[in-house]
């Protein structure tokens, strides 16, 4: 298990995480991924759809020329942020939905999903 904390976006998080996984697995480099890549992403249920697709797309960049069929991304979706956020009930989930909708549009325009 690893936690990547330097990135500022889902795209950066995916690239940094995948590169760190390759280094930890002793990959011969970004071009050398012979075995399927099995990744578990833990995120909120609002972010799960985009996160899964971003990690698959980022694998093609992190490992130049990798066949997307070799990338298995599993997403474990959790409840919204935390107990305090759930206590608000309406505001946080609605803001998360709006933010996620805007992020999907931006990521689609950039070709990240």
């Amino acid at each position: 298990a690893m936690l990547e904390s330097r990135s500022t976006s889902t795209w950066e998080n995916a690239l940094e995480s995948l590169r760190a996984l390759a280094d930890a697995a002793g990959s011969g480099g970004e071009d050398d991924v012979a075995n399927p890549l099995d990744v578990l992403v833990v995120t909120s249920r609002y972010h799960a759809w985009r996160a899964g697709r971003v990690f698959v797309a980022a694998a093609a960049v992190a490992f130049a020329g990798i066949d997307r069929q070799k990338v298995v991304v599993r997403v474990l979706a959790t409840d919204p942020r935390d107990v305090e956020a759930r206590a608000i009930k309406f505001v946080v989930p609605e803001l998360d939905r709006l933010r996620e909708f805007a992020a999907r549009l931006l990521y689609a325009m950039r070709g990240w999903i």
Side-chain angles (χ1 to χ4, degrees), residues 66-88:
I66 189 174
D67 179 2
R68 287 187 185 202
Q69 299 294 330
K70 289 188 173 186
V71 181
V72 177
V73 176
R74 301 165 205 261
V75 180
L76 176 60
T78 63
D79 285 332
R81 295 184 236 187
D82 58 28
V83 174
E84 291 177 22
R86 285 194 300 270
I88 299 171

Side-chain angles (χ1 to χ4, degrees), residues 46 81 88 90-101:
Y46 300 110
R81 295 184 236 187
I88 299 171
F90 179 76
V91 177
V92 171
E94 290 305 314
L95 291 176
D96 281 345
R97 285 187 189 107
L98 289 173
R99 181 184 180 284
E100 191 58 30
F101 178 75

